[in-house]
Amino acid sequence: MCDLLDSQQPAEKLSRMKKLRRTLSESFGRLALKKDDNDFDEICVTKMSTRNCQGMDSVIKPLDTIPEDKKVRVQRTQSTFDPFEKPNNQVKRVHSENNACINFKSSSAEKESPKLRRHSSPSSPTSPKFGKADSYEKLEKLGEGSYATVYKGKSKVNGKLVALKVIRLQEEEGTPFTAIREASLLKGLKHTNIVLLHDIIHTKETLTLVFEFVHTDLCQYMDKHPGGLHPDNVKLFLFQLLRGLSYIHHRYILHRDLKPQNLLISDTGELKLADFGLARAKSVPSHTYSNEVVTLWYRPPDVLLGSTEYSTCLDMWGVGCIFVEMIQGVAAFPGMKDIQDQLERIFLILGTPNEESWPGVDTLPHFKPDRFTQYSAKNLRQAWNKLSYVDHAEDLASKLLQCFPKNRLSAQAALSHEYFSDLPPRLWELNDMSSIFSVPNVRLQVEAGESTKAFGKNIYGKGQSHVKH
């Protein structure tokens, strides 16, 4: 009998243990929705994996930014044992790797920690926010175009100066496609030599693009320093222009409107590509594009002759024109009348093309040999004498200003040209967001007429100047 009782006792103990485990298990998972605001935990959990749950973004977000209808308010049922219960000072909002964020609220009127207040303040109704028109103060008008006005402004979010490009919307026409194109392209471009798009504000009447504020542009800079820029400054400006172009060309984006007005210059000398309103993302296979692109003086001959099939070589012609203009002090091909006049100015220096020098030119819509004077090609220094003052400048210009598009140097190849051989090697090792002026001894020189002569002083600490006399 005792043996029987002894054998039953462990069985009864085992059964009791199972019941106890089941009770504990149920108390752990027993959660109930509660409709009043007394003593509850607020929990927001996104899917704990790389995939989204029910279409929700798995990116970590502060609780304050989650819409009210997405929050779940829960309270655990009363139990004699609650393993989740913690002192108030131990429960904090958490940003963990599994994308869960937890915020504890108690009925007691506790003060939030300073860290929590700082994190939450941008979401308060009275705080300035990104994407809101009243978050920016207009200081002065900088310019006005056919569909947009640009203002110098100040951000109330971070106190920085900004440029506000305010695009007027009309009910009948909607948002200008150039504005949509510019915004969509710039959102994905992060490079120190490309203007940074900070914010986009959309209202019923306007679309405002908020850019970093940059001091001036290359056109104004050259107007301030007529007769040609310091050759060392030309080199630094050109290097930065090629850096920016190499970056966008590598991503199959064409700027299509290179001109000095669209190259911004900061007070430290940093050059930034701007105004991507005519830019296009070039897809594969190639599509045809409009030939009504690029300001006339910087438009390549193939586009002037009606070509609609072009690639990055379109931008490289503009680089050559800007390079010559910075050195010489005057526009390379300043056409005064029309496309015919612009082409005549180009052919006068580079020679009138034919099928031998430019395969396929006869097939271009606007090429009629009898309409153009027959010129032979000349050395560039005959037209722009200052190219001969600087080592390798004429050779680089000649490789950029090629009538036959496929002969033009690419941005990446141009960066490796001998013209840049006296620059510090570290410039080629910089990451995309590093300025060339972060390299020691790289700085702009004083332009002629300010305090010292432009020619004859080398900025790179390598002894003699590379300027010829």
Side-chain angles (χ1 to χ4, degrees):
M1 186 66 177
C2 290
D3 293 340
L4 180 60
L5 289 173
D6 289 341
S7 64
Q8 288 178 347
Q9 219 167 6
E12 289 178 6
K13 288 182 180 179
L14 185 62
S15 176
R16 286 175 187 173
M17 288 297 293
K18 285 183 178 179
K19 287 180 180 179
L20 179 60
R21 286 176 185 170
R22 187 180 301 112
T23 302
L24 287 173
S25 176
E26 288 174 356
S27 70
F28 269 75
R30 194 177 297 149
L31 299 176
L33 293 174
K34 181 169 180 177
K35 295 183 180 179
D36 60 62
D37 292 335
N38 298 325
D39 295 321
F40 61 83
D41 289 351
E42 214 170 59
I43 301 178
C44 63
V45 183
T46 57
K47 185 162 178 69
M48 300 183 188
S49 71
T50 55
R51 294 180 179 273
N52 292 340
C53 176
Q54 298 178 350
M56 292 177 62
D57 192 353
S58 62
V59 176
I60 301 173
K61 298 179 180 178
L63 184 63
D64 294 339
T65 64
I66 295 176
E68 288 296 324
D69 60 343
K70 299 298 182 184
K71 295 181 182 178
V72 181
R73 299 165 66 187
V74 302
Q75 183 194 20
R76 296 177 182 86
T77 55
Q78 295 299 318
S79 171
T80 56
F81 175 71
D82 189 349
F84 290 141
E85 189 175 351
K86 293 182 181 180
N88 292 345
N89 61 358
Q90 291 183 16
V91 183
K92 299 179 181 178
R93 179 175 299 166
V94 179
H95 295 277
S96 63
E97 292 180 355
N98 62 9
N99 293 346
C101 52
I102 302 176
N103 181 37
F104 177 87
K105 291 185 179 179
S106 68
S107 57
S108 61
E110 288 186 6
K111 295 180 74 175
E112 284 189 18
S113 68
K115 184 175 181 181
L116 187 57
R117 279 202 306 275
R118 285 198 302 271
H119 189 81
S120 302
S121 60
S123 298
S124 64
T126 57
S127 298
K129 302 176 183 178
F130 288 108
K132 300 293 183 181
D134 57 4
S135 296
Y136 301 94
E137 177 187 358
K138 292 178 183 175
L139 300 179
E140 61 178 291
K141 183 190 285 189
L142 298 177
E144 189 167 3
S146 56
Y147 75 96
T149 305
V150 180
Y151 298 89
K152 179 181 179 180
K154 186 177 181 180
S155 169
K156 296 178 184 177
V157 179
N158 54 27
K160 292 184 178 180
L161 291 177
V162 293
L164 303 169
K165 187 173 185 177
V166 182
I167 299 154
R168 298 174 290 276
L169 306 181
Q170 298 181 6
E171 263 186 56
E172 302 81 16
E173 299 178 8
T175 307
F177 72 92
T178 51
I180 297 172
R181 179 184 291 165
E182 182 173 18
S184 63
L185 286 176
L186 281 172
K187 279 178 69 177
L189 300 178
K190 304 298 178 186
H191 194 281
T192 189
N193 296 123
I194 296 173
V195 68
L196 181 63
L197 177 65
H198 283 309
D199 201 0
I200 301 173
I201 303 165
H202 190 206
T203 67
K204 190 174 181 180
E205 296 81 20
T206 61
L207 176 70
T208 302
L209 305 182
V210 183
F211 295 98
E212 62 176 317
F213 180 77
V214 185
H215 174 71
T216 187
D217 61 49
L218 184 59
C219 182
Q220 294 175 350
Y221 188 91
M222 289 192 292
D223 287 344
K224 187 179 178 182
H225 308 291
L229 304 182
H230 190 295
D232 292 332
N233 293 346
V234 171
K235 188 169 295 188
L236 294 182
F237 287 149
L238 184 62
F239 189 87
Q240 293 178 89
L241 172 55
L242 291 170
R243 274 191 83 198
L245 281 177
S246 177
Y247 176 84
I248 66 170
H249 288 174
H250 184 68
R251 286 155 181 77
Y252 305 101
I253 294 172
L254 317 179
H255 187 280
R256 303 202 311 168
D257 195 19
L258 284 184
K259 55 185 177 182
Q261 294 92 325
N262 289 342
L263 303 178
L264 305 182
I265 306 290
S266 75
D267 50 4
T268 60
E270 201 153 46
L271 180 144
K272 295 177 182 287
L273 277 168
D275 201 342
F276 281 69
L278 288 177
R280 287 291 296 270
K282 182 174 173 59
S283 60
V284 179
S286 173
H287 292 292
T288 58
Y289 302 104
S290 168
N291 63 343
E292 297 300 322
V293 294
V294 186
T295 304
L296 199 65
W297 290 2
Y298 308 94
R299 197 178 300 179
D302 47 309
V303 176
L304 291 168
L305 289 170
S307 173
T308 57
E309 296 184 10
Y310 47 77
S311 185
T312 55
C313 53
L314 165 71
D315 289 337
M316 299 314 297
W317 175 272
V319 173
C321 294
I322 293 167
F323 179 36
V324 168
E325 189 170 351
M326 286 193 291
I327 288 182
Q328 192 67 24
V330 295
F333 306 109
M336 301 303 292
K337 297 178 183 177
D338 50 22
I339 290 177
Q340 178 77 17
D341 179 47
Q342 185 68 24
L343 284 167
E344 288 282 350
R345 288 173 181 269
I346 293 171
F347 297 158
L348 175 64
I349 297 171
L350 302 183
T352 307
N354 52 45
E355 275 295 320
E356 185 179 346
S357 63
W358 181 349
V361 69
D362 287 342
T363 64
L364 296 178
H366 306 319
F367 183 73
K368 303 291 186 286
D370 56 334
R371 290 176 55 188
F372 301 105
T373 307
Q374 296 300 308
Y375 299 106
S376 57
K378 302 174 179 61
N379 291 325
L380 298 191
R381 69 181 66 191
Q382 292 179 252
W384 307 300
N385 64 312
K386 290 185 180 179
L387 287 176
S388 62
Y389 296 171
V390 185
D391 284 348
H392 311 295
E394 183 181 16
D395 182 69
L396 177 57
S398 67
K399 289 178 177 176
L400 293 168
L401 296 174
Q402 289 285 322
C403 284
F404 183 37
K406 292 183 179 179
N407 284 348
R408 291 174 206 149
L409 215 55
S410 70
Q412 190 61 43
L415 283 169
S416 301
H417 192 272
E418 285 184 316
Y419 171 72
F420 296 112
S421 60
D422 61 338
L423 291 178
R426 279 189 59 190
L427 293 181
W428 283 266
E429 300 169 2
L430 295 172
N431 61 47
D432 292 339
M433 292 306 295
S434 294
S435 166
I436 67 168
F437 297 104
S438 64
V439 176
N441 299 322
V442 175
R443 64 186 183 277
L444 286 188
Q445 290 298 291
V446 178
E447 295 290 353
E450 289 187 340
S451 63
T452 61
K453 292 185 178 180
F455 292 91
K457 185 178 179 183
N458 189 277
I459 67 176
Y460 313 117
K462 291 191 177 183
Q464 297 180 349
S465 169
H466 287 260
V467 179
K468 298 176 181 176
H469 297 278

